[in-house]
């Protein structure tokens, strides 16, 4: 009998809005692909987003009460799932096709291995000070001091994508999907 569980290599890219998370992931994905690795991404947002358009068939299906609505085109498909509660990362990973690496943007409370993207120009405090599982910070600023630990926090140059890629490759978390 096979186990209903599988393992997935996952790494989180987190940071405040406007810090450059999406831009960094867009630079990292091609590096994984150049290594012959398959990569998927999950983007978490706290904002309400609707990919549908009022009046379209899929919108009407959803508004009529469908729990899931799938739109299939010749080159891609989209699945909209109505849920009474916010999704958990494990549940999203469970429905995704297994790949070599999943980069997760957001879900900073759930991802056990994370790199924070932080820029002082955003004017926002870094998350690593209050989030223990952040392993490193990619920044365009000087090395950071964690006042709680009174030590220099491991930082990477945000503009050196190959170095960040190497760091992530060495620190991927093996997530057990249950």
């Amino acid at each position: 009998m096979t186990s209903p569980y599988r393992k997935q290599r996952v790494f989180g890219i987190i940071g405040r809005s406007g810090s450059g998370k999406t831009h960094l992931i867009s630079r990292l994905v091609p590096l994984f692909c150049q290594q012959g690795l398959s990569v998927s991404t999950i983007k978490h947002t706290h904002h309400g987003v609707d990919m549908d358009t009022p009046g379209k068939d899929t919108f009407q299906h959803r508004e009529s009460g469908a729990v899931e609505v799938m739109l299939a085109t010749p080159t891609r498909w989209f699945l909209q799932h109505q849920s009474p509660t916010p999704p958990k990362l494990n549940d999203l990973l469970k429905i995704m096709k297994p790949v070599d690496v999943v980069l997760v943007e957001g879900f900073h409370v759930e991802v056990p291995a994370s790199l924070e993207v932080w820029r002082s120009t955003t004017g926002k405090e870094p998350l690593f000070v209050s989030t223990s599982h952040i392993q490193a910070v990619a920044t365009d600023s000087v090395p950071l001091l964690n006042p709680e630990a009174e030590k220099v926090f491991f930082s990477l140059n945000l503009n050196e994508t190959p170095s960040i890629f190497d760091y992530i490759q060495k620190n991927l978390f093996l997530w057990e999907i249950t």
Side-chain angles (χ1 to χ4, degrees), residues 10-162:
V10 175
F11 197 86
I13 308 290
I14 66 172
R16 304 281 187 187
S17 178
S19 61
K21 302 176 300 292
T22 299
H23 186 66
L24 175 60
I25 290 172
S26 297
R27 296 187 333 249
L28 289 168
V29 168
L31 295 178
F32 282 100
C33 294
Q34 288 169 10
Q35 297 293 318
L37 301 172
S38 58
V39 60
S40 291
T41 64
I42 295 176
K43 162 84 175 164
H44 182 259
T45 181
H46 295 286
H47 308 288
V49 174
D50 194 344
M51 299 175 73
D52 223 343
T53 305
K56 292 294 185 180
D57 296 347
T58 52
F59 185 87
Q60 290 177 13
H61 295 178
R62 192 185 66 192
E63 289 293 304
S64 297
V67 174
E68 291 188 326
V69 177
M70 183 176 289
L71 174 62
T73 74
T75 57
R76 64 182 53 98
W77 57 270
F78 305 87
L79 177 63
Q80 296 182 74
H81 179 88
Q82 294 294 113
S83 178
T85 59
K88 299 284 186 210
L89 181 57
N90 188 73
D91 296 332
L92 298 174
L93 289 168
K94 192 184 306 184
I95 61 172
M96 292 180 79
K97 177 182 175 181
V99 292
D100 295 313
V101 176
V102 175
L103 296 177
V104 179
E105 182 178 336
F107 283 103
H108 73 275
V109 174
E110 293 185 59
V111 180
S114 297
L115 175 136
E116 178 178 3
V117 176
W118 183 75
R119 293 177 191 267
S120 61
T121 56
T122 66
K124 300 170 185 170
E125 290 295 316
L127 295 168
F128 78 86
V129 174
S130 60
T131 308
S132 62
H133 60 271
I134 296 174
Q135 299 174 331
V137 177
T139 184
D140 55 3
S141 301
V142 296
L144 302 168
L145 177 69
N146 181 343
E148 307 236 340
E150 296 181 355
K151 67 176 183 175
V152 174
F153 196 80
F154 187 74
S155 64
L156 298 158
N157 184 325
L158 185 55
N159 299 312
E160 294 179 10
T161 309

